Amino acid sequence: MNIAILGAGIIGVTTAYELAADGHAVTVFERHTSIGEEASFANAGILSTGCVAPWTAPGMAGKLGRHILTSNAPLRMARPLHAADLGWMRRWLTACRSGNFAANQSRLLRLAIYSQQRMREVSASMAYTFDRSDGHMVLLRSEKDRRQIQPALIALRELAVPFHEISPSEARQLEPALHPHTDLAGAVYFPQDEVANCRQFAIILRDAAEQLGARFEFSTAVASIDPTQPATLRITNADSPRRFDAIVLCAGVQSAALLGPLGIRLPLRPVYGYSVSAHIPESINAPRSGVTDEHYKVAITRLGQRVRVAGASEIGGRPGHIDDGAIRKLYKVLADWFPAAGRLSKGVQVWKGASPALPDGPPVLGSSGIPGLWLNLGHGASGWTLACGSARVLADQIGGRAPAIDIEGLGLERIMGHGK
Ligand SMILES: Cc1cc2nc3c(=O)[nH]c(=O)nc-3n(C[C@H](O)[C@H](O)[C@H](O)COP(=O)(O)OP(=O)(O)OC[C@H]3O[C@@H](n4cnc5c(N)ncnc54)[C@H](O)[C@@H]3O)c2cc1C
């Protein structure tokens, strides 16, 4: 088939790779000049099966998520708050009360485990290596932190997620640069989690997709999907429409705007987060892999010769506006755990990114209900973790094969009722 992919973030690139590997003629449209310029640019890099969880845990809407083991920071409202953000929050509150948290968590987990397996297969066939490391630890500052996460650990045991509760000295053996003067009551170690550079992976995978025949058209914004013709695109400033056999929408937070004119009103909103990345002058002072501070919900990761600290979940606000308080918190948590890890005097990269989030957690994969239009979007705070598996699932669906995992609850009907 002749297939168009909208968006070259991590979701679009992995989708391009899988469809090209299946023998399809693939064209990727990206409005920026390069791969991974938006949400996939400078994320924390954690590929976690242990910490994938929707924002809708019981209690999330009250004291906002203290007792749920997840790297998602509690949601904070920022101004200006768009009417669509309020609508999203209403649906999020409903989802918090619906009792569907466990079902959505196991949907995410199923996809995360499959994704990790698929990523390992795809990486093994790639010509280049990328910055990566094994293992991820959730740091517990106090006995209170330890008590509060116990219900989450029970749920992880039920879901057969491998983890170890470890003592402070065991945690320091795994991460010897952890600051000895910061209170540490213990940690939860996920040996099968990984840390890897998402954008670097996407750039290498673009190369692999091109080797398989995929074409990338950069600086090409899709203005609309034609509601009157199947699988037809209108490109901004181009005279004639582009026709395909199928379109896959992977346009991150912009996906909702492209779907609206087709009658699909998807409650997809940007949830903003921040990261600060700095060069590592001395490796022994930096993390070996990745840690998440459970109290502050801030992750610190090692990405080659850089340390990255990431966190915050803001709904509303402006894309370009940096919240100084959020950045101060990132510096504080970095100083608490790895005070000498990064050179902070120059060359520091401060980034704000918008995760494409649906109110109940899991992404939407599969048919849109409109002939020829497929969806791979709404991966929220776990898009890097879920990318390779989501792309493979979608390629199987387009190819008319049964995906390797149960995809119950990952279709559009979860959000919209029946189809559109
Ligand atoms: C601070 C932070 C930390 C994070 N940490 C992690 C983590 O540790 N682990 C994890 O799993 N996830 C993490 N995430 C989430 C993850 O980064 C996202 O879920 C993921 O990058 C989303 O990928 P995407 O391809 O859907 O969106 P994007 O990367 O935003 O890609 C969408 C692309 O579509 C393009 N596009 C949009 N509209 C059009 C159009 N009309 N025409 C042409 N192109 C278009 C955009 O330009 C963009 O390049 C984090 C996110 C943030 C903000």
Side-chain angles (χ1 to χ4, degrees):
M1 276 203 277
N2 191 12
I3 302 179
I5 294 175
L6 271 59
I10 189 62
I11 302 300
V13 177
T14 48
T15 305
Y17 172 83
E18 295 292 356
L19 288 169
D22 283 359
H24 297 290
V26 171
T27 307
V28 183
F29 294 96
E30 170 54 55
R31 59 188 181 170
H32 291 298
T33 54
S34 176
I35 298 286
E37 291 283 309
E38 298 217 356
S40 310
F41 185 76
N43 63 29
I46 298 175
L47 295 142
S48 177
T49 49
C51 295
V52 281
W55 268 296
T56 56
M60 266 306 221
K63 177 58 188 115
L64 291 172
R66 275 277 67 100
H67 61 285
I68 166 77
L69 193 65
T70 160
S71 41
N72 297 346
L75 275 178
R76 201 179 68 80
M77 279 187 279
R79 302 216 173 268
L81 206 58
H82 194 275
D85 294 322
L86 289 170
W88 188 98
M89 292 204 67
R90 269 195 296 276
R91 291 188 71 143
W92 169 72
L93 285 169
T94 307
C96 289
R97 296 189 195 108
S98 71
N100 288 340
F101 171 77
N104 284 328
Q105 188 179 23
S106 57
R107 287 166 182 150
L108 279 169
L109 188 66
R110 216 161 39 228
L111 187 56
I113 292 169
Y114 177 56
S115 210
Q116 188 175 53
Q117 177 196 326
R118 185 63 195 149
M119 186 185 166
R120 286 177 182 160
E121 289 162 2
V122 170
S123 314
S125 68
M126 280 164 53
Y128 304 98
T129 55
F130 52 97
D131 295 330
R132 64 166 302 285
S133 48
D134 290 311
H136 163 229
M137 215 175 358
V138 176
L139 301 173
L140 307 169
R141 288 180 180 249
S142 63
E143 282 307 318
K144 189 173 167 206
D145 281 351
R146 190 204 291 284
R147 271 197 315 278
Q148 284 181 328
I149 60 149
Q150 291 311 311
L153 297 185
I154 291 168
L156 290 181
R157 275 188 200 100
E158 281 166 9
L159 293 164
V161 175
F163 67 88
H164 308 295
E165 283 186 88
I166 59 176
S167 66
S169 63
E170 288 169 316
R172 292 185 197 286
Q173 267 169 22
L174 287 165
E175 286 291 359
L178 278 176
H179 193 18
H181 295 143
T182 300
D183 287 342
L184 178 62
V188 182
Y189 181 56
F190 295 92
Q192 296 195 4
D193 285 4
E194 295 173 45
V195 171
N197 188 321
C198 175
R199 185 157 183 267
Q200 209 179 32
F201 180 88
I203 289 169
I204 298 170
L205 198 63
R206 169 203 168 176
D207 187 62
E210 281 179 331
Q211 304 284 327
L212 294 166
R215 292 178 56 244
F216 286 77
E217 294 193 20
F218 290 105
S219 305
T220 307
V222 173
S224 62
I225 299 167
D226 193 327
T228 61
Q229 306 280 332
T232 301
L233 298 176
R234 296 198 171 271
I235 306 288
T236 305
N237 299 329
D239 294 334
S240 36
R242 303 274 296 266
R243 293 203 171 80
F244 295 87
D245 299 318
I247 295 173
V248 187
L249 187 58
C250 311
V253 293
Q254 277 76 37
S255 302
L258 289 163
L259 287 172
L262 306 175
I264 301 177
R265 293 190 213 297
L266 199 63
L268 180 85
R269 293 301 297 159
V271 172
Y272 295 102
Y274 298 89
S275 72
V276 172
S277 308
H279 175 73
I280 297 172
E282 280 294 345
S283 289
I284 56 163
N285 295 326
R288 284 179 169 169
S289 189
V291 302
T292 298
D293 182 317
E294 168 61 14
H295 182 80
Y296 289 101
K297 304 281 187 191
V298 166
I300 305 171
T301 52
R302 167 82 173 258
L303 295 161
Q305 273 316 298
R306 285 199 299 173
V307 62
R308 180 165 295 161
V309 51
S313 300
E314 263 175 36
I315 186 140
R318 288 186 299 274
H321 174 78
I322 301 278
D323 179 79
D324 292 340
I327 300 298
R328 270 198 304 277
K329 192 202 270 188
L330 298 187
Y331 279 114
K332 175 204 158 28
V333 175
L334 180 63
D336 283 354
W337 294 115
F338 297 100
R343 185 179 60 201
L344 303 180
S345 53
K346 65 171 185 178
V348 171
Q349 174 189 275
V350 175
W351 175 74
K352 179 177 185 180
S355 291
L358 290 161
D360 64 347
V364 163
L365 315 178
S367 169
S368 67
I370 293 174
L373 179 60
W374 298 82
L375 309 176
N376 189 1
L377 48 83
H379 294 74
S382 304
W384 175 212
T385 301
L386 304 173
C388 289
S390 302
R392 189 61 248 160
V393 163
L394 196 87
D396 284 335
Q397 289 177 309
I398 291 178
R401 290 177 300 271
I405 55 163
D406 179 3
I407 53 166
E408 180 282 321
L410 296 177
L412 189 61
E413 64 285 352
R414 186 190 83 244
I415 300 279
M416 312 293 281
H418 300 286
K420 330 197 237 166

